[in-house]
Structures are given as C-alpha cells and as structure tokens.
Amino acid sequence: MKIIGLHIYGFGKLSNFTINNLEEMRVFFGDNEVGKTTIQQFILTMLFGFKKEKLNDPNYTPILSSKYGGKLFIEEDRYHIRMIERVKGVNKGEAIVVSQEGKEYGEEVLKRLLNGLDRDMYEKVYSFNVFDLQELHTFDGLELNRFFFSTSLAGTKDFFHLEKEVEKKKLICSRNPVKIQSLINYFLS
C-alpha cells in the first residue's frame, strides 16, 4: 500500500487541505507550528482510527471546520483499494474503504490491508519526527548501520542502500551538537 495523496476536511488547524503527489518517500519540513505533526497525526488517524482522548494528548479537533477527518488516497494492488475515509461521528468513526470500482468496504478490509500492522509499529518503522532524528546523533557508525539494516528488514525500502554510506558518513554522527543539522540534512537529502 502506498499513500499517494490526502485531503483533510478538518484536523487541528488544517481545514480543506490537500496534498497530492506523495508517490515517493516524502519529508515534511518547515518552521514550528506550520502543521508537520498535524499531517503525521492525520495519516495515523486515517489508518488506525481516532485515539481516545487523554488529558495530556494533543487535541486535533478542527478549529476551522465542523467535519473532523478526511481521506487518504492510496495505491494498493491486492484489493484495488484507492481511498480510505474516516470522519469522527460518522460510521462510529470507523473507516470507509473504497475500491477503484467504487465499492465501499469497512474497517475489516483496512485491517487486512495493514496486514497486522498497528499504530505503534507504523510509527516505529514508517514515521519519525525531529526528536527521533535528534536521537540519531548519539549513534556511532556501526549503530547507524544496524538501525538502517533493521529498518530495511521491517519492510521499509530505500534504506538498505545506506549501509555502505553509513561508514563514509559516520564522522557526521559524532556527539558534536553542531553536526546534528548536517546529519539531519544528510538523511533528508
């Protein structure tokens, strides 16, 4: 399954917001408070459902929209699913999954598409934020090598070719905080 686009009806500060052309691996970057984490949390919500609200959790109730949720557009060849839609308060917040023929399915098809992947595993393998990147500076070259090798075994492509590059770039991984930006730039380029 590959996410190729998204449309947010309302999620946090984002309203009637669309991103297309997500076919390849994408990195969202920008100033603080522009919506990077909101987009990340939107994708997690579309795939795994609305979290039960806890006292210290960020609140993504829409600010400018009465409709809380949106759509993910995907490419998927097993069931030919093309869209996942989830709106809080509609269909008990469960996903509506639509095939390329327009047939609608429920949450059970999405769970089959995810093949046992849960929210926690998705976050560990496919999604990371600036805090995760900052932690990388504590790794030496061998640790980075192992990190990317294990990531590739978990199903993420595009990291395996980094195995040889890690040795070349391990000086970037020193404990010098000034080099953290260089490390981040290297992995984002």
Side-chain angles (χ1 to χ4, degrees):
M1 178 174 70
K2 186 185 322 184
I3 298 171
I4 60 171
L6 59 84
H7 178 76
I8 298 175
Y9 302 136
F11 199 86
K13 69 168 89 180
L14 300 177
S15 177
N16 195 27
F17 180 82
T18 301
I19 300 176
N20 295 310
N21 302 317
L22 292 175
E23 289 87 3
E24 301 301 321
M25 185 167 72
R26 293 287 183 228
V27 175
F28 294 99
F29 63 94
D31 293 333
N32 291 339
E33 301 298 321
V34 297
K36 301 176 299 293
T37 302
T38 302
I39 292 168
Q40 177 191 38
Q41 292 302 310
F42 171 79
I43 292 170
L44 289 168
T45 299
M46 292 300 100
L47 293 175
F48 302 105
F50 291 95
K51 288 174 85 175
K52 292 187 174 40
E53 295 177 20
K54 295 180 185 171
L55 186 60
N56 294 330
D57 281 350
N59 182 359
Y60 291 102
T61 303
I63 296 170
L64 301 173
S65 174
S66 60
K67 203 170 183 183
Y68 187 3
K71 302 176 186 179
L72 284 183
F73 300 98
I74 65 169
E75 286 182 354
E76 182 281 323
D77 294 327
R78 186 172 170 198
Y79 299 102
H80 305 287
I81 300 302
R82 296 297 175 250
M83 186 187 71
I84 301 165
E85 181 179 36
R86 193 183 296 270
V87 178
K88 192 159 190 168
V90 174
N91 196 33
K92 298 179 185 172
E94 292 193 359
I96 297 170
V97 180
V98 182
S99 72
Q100 70 185 23
E101 296 83 21
K103 184 166 177 162
E104 291 187 1
Y105 300 95
E107 190 86 21
E108 70 283 347
V109 170
L110 178 56
K111 288 181 180 177
R112 275 189 257 147
L113 280 176
L114 294 169
N115 204 23
L117 187 69
D118 64 11
R119 183 185 194 110
D120 185 52
M121 182 60 75
Y122 180 92
E123 288 182 277
K124 288 178 181 170
V125 175
Y126 298 105
S127 178
F128 53 88
N129 59 34
V130 68
F131 301 112
D132 299 325
L133 285 174
Q134 287 173 342
E135 189 177 315
L136 290 177
H137 87 280
T138 64
F139 292 178
D140 66 21
L142 183 58
E143 289 171 321
L144 275 174
N145 193 350
R146 287 182 181 141
F147 170 79
F148 286 115
F149 181 71
S150 66
T151 301
S152 70
L153 289 177
T156 302
K157 55 186 177 180
D158 297 327
F159 285 114
F160 192 75
H161 72 277
L162 289 175
E163 180 178 3
K164 292 179 184 174
E165 289 295 315
V166 168
E167 285 303 314
K168 293 178 190 174
K169 301 293 183 181
K170 71 181 176 180
L171 290 176
I172 295 173
C173 302
S174 71
R175 299 192 191 280
N176 183 345
V178 175
K179 294 190 178 185
I180 292 173
Q181 189 62 47
S182 297
L183 175 65
I184 291 170
N185 291 338
Y186 169 72
F187 287 109
L188 297 181
S189 63

